[in-house]
Amino acid sequence: MLILGIETSCDETGVALYHTQQGLLSHALHSQTEMHGEYGGVVPELASRDHIRRVLPLVRQTCAAAGLDLKALDAIAYTQGPGLAGALLVGASIAAALGFALEIPVLGIHHLEGHLLSPLLSDPAPAFPFVALLVSGGHTQLMEVSGLGLYKLLGETVDDAAGEAFDKTAKLLGLGYPGGPALSKLADEFFRSGQPNQFKLPRPMLRSGDLNFSFSGLKTAVLTLARKQPLTQQTRGALASAFQEAVVDVLTEKSLAALSRTGLTQLVVAGGVGANRQLRNNLCREAEKMGATVFFPELEFCTDNGAMIAFAGAMRLQVPETWNKKLDNTFTIKARWDLEMQDAAGE
Ligand code: KG4
Ligand code: ZN
């Protein structure tokens, strides 16, 4: 079966073709970061308008790259939520229109389900059950994943998401938007230079006894230190490194605690912060010590993309009770949507 995936929940238009036997056939992405960079953050109205401009050309490009016509499609999967309402509506309406024209099913996919299943696109892939650490710009969650649609929340951030904390800290260090990758690069360079770090930041909620996180205090701690001294390149590197180390330490310890609590031995890391090199290295090293294995999506599938939506759609398509079979040309979006409860609403 051939599935077209469409992702438009935030500032990336992602389109992909996934075949249940042949795997991922083609994918294309347009990132709006440059456009939003001018404003220091995502401007929802501009995001929606840009998705409208990009999505159909990307669909054509993806089909051409696979040498396939739209008529070959068996289903369409789109990101139904959570995300920016206007941006979601673009993907949802295009998916519904194509589904109507081609008389094929249209599946609404939870964006975070896309992220947490994305390591299954890699080889070797994890098998259910596993623990998933979802670390994106909007979410930081530990989930116990027993099967498709069977997600139990083990812990989450009580304030900023990890990616959000990276972006806000990067901004106050003058690294632009979105600054996560730039901050990480600066931190890695400082670390590699071998200089001693004069800064040490707290590890928020490390001993809280649960699997929750808090990251907003770290950003404030960096701000307080940055105001006390001239922001030289050396100071910025040291602060970036101290910040990254604190976030990585907490994410690593809580992920390992989640493995211990559940008795599971596979950890899946998904979402944009999963691209962070220090997090990847640290998690692998520490998990190995307790006999666990860590799985990451390919770097290009860590951040938002269409492949993870096409893949999640393909998985659901093969299990009829996990999707709604009505072909009535209506579509819905859910700007706020709890992953744990996603199948409870009967949609
Ligand atoms: O999953 P994603 O593309 O979008 C959301 O669904 O939020 O994640 C984007 C987030 C941004 O906050 C970005 O700064 C962060 O992931 N990010 C990183 C790195 N690459 C992306 N954070 C730290 N280190 C990185 N290498
Ligand atoms: Zn995402």
Side-chain angles (χ1 to χ4, degrees), residues 7 9-12 82 111-112 115 135-139 161-167 177-185 188 243-244 270-279 299 301-305 308:
E7 155 64 37
S9 68
C10 188
D11 58 350
E12 257 114 21
H111 180 80
L112 294 183
H115 272 307
V135 267
S136 70
H139 293 84
E164 187 182 358
F166 262 94
D167 293 340
Y177 175 86
L183 187 146
S184 164
K185 190 164 167 271
D188 290 349
F243 170 82
Q244 178 168 276
V273 185
N276 186 278
R277 201 191 315 263
Q278 197 182 341
L279 178 66
L299 271 180
F301 300 140
C302 277
T303 45
D304 292 350
N305 63 86
M308 66 184 195

Side-chain angles (χ1 to χ4, degrees), residues 113 117 120 128 145-151 311-319 322 342-343:
E113 175 170 87
L117 297 179
L120 297 168
F128 297 125
V145 180
S146 311
L148 181 65
L150 301 173
Y151 312 124
F311 179 72
M315 285 198 77
R316 283 192 173 258
L317 195 65
Q318 294 172 88
V319 188
T322 65
Q342 66 162 328
D343 293 321

Side-chain angles (χ1 to χ4, degrees), residues 121-331:
L121 279 163
S122 303
D123 188 19
F128 297 125
F130 52 77
V131 169
L133 171 68
L134 282 173
V135 267
S136 70
H139 293 84
T140 300
Q141 298 184 331
L142 277 163
M143 310 279 312
E144 182 175 348
V145 180
S146 311
L148 181 65
L150 301 173
Y151 312 124
K152 184 177 165 205
L153 185 67
L154 300 171
E156 64 183 334
T157 181
V158 298
D159 43 51
D160 289 354
E164 187 182 358
F166 262 94
D167 293 340
K168 286 178 175 171
T169 306
K171 203 169 176 175
L172 65 90
L173 292 178
L175 297 173
Y177 175 86
L183 187 146
S184 164
K185 190 164 167 271
L186 189 65
D188 290 349
E189 279 164 13
F190 180 86
F191 185 76
R192 272 198 302 272
S193 75
Q195 301 170 65
N197 199 333
Q198 68 267 44
F199 304 117
K200 173 95 180 154
L201 295 175
R203 299 322 191 227
M205 293 186 73
L206 194 61
R207 305 275 164 250
S208 60
D210 55 24
L211 297 173
N212 290 333
F213 307 90
S214 164
F215 294 113
S216 70
L218 276 179
K219 164 202 69 197
T220 314
V222 171
L223 181 65
T224 311
L225 288 169
R227 279 188 177 148
K228 279 191 190 148
Q229 48 235 302
L231 260 190
T232 61
Q233 188 61 9
Q234 198 278 344
T235 310
R236 292 195 320 175
L239 283 170
S241 177
F243 170 82
Q244 178 168 276
E245 221 171 272
V247 174
V248 166
D249 264 7
V250 178
L251 289 175
T252 304
E253 275 217 32
K254 298 256 172 172
S255 300
L256 299 191
L259 288 172
S260 300
R261 274 190 198 198
T262 54
L264 298 175
T265 54
Q266 298 177 102
L267 175 70
V268 157
V269 183
V273 185
N276 186 278
R277 201 191 315 263
Q278 197 182 341
L279 178 66
R280 292 170 92 99
N281 292 343
N282 225 52
L283 277 174
C284 287
R285 192 183 58 238
E286 296 304 315
E288 202 184 331
K289 288 183 192 161
M290 61 183 285
T293 317
V294 192
F295 297 85
F296 299 95
E298 301 294 328
L299 271 180
E300 62 181 330
F301 300 140
C302 277
T303 45
D304 292 350
N305 63 86
M308 66 184 195
I309 302 303
F311 179 72
M315 285 198 77
R316 283 192 173 258
L317 195 65
Q318 294 172 88
V319 188
E321 57 275 19
T322 65
W323 58 282
N324 178 2
K325 282 159 283 301
K326 70 178 190 308
L327 273 170
D328 64 359
N329 313 319
T330 60
F331 61 90

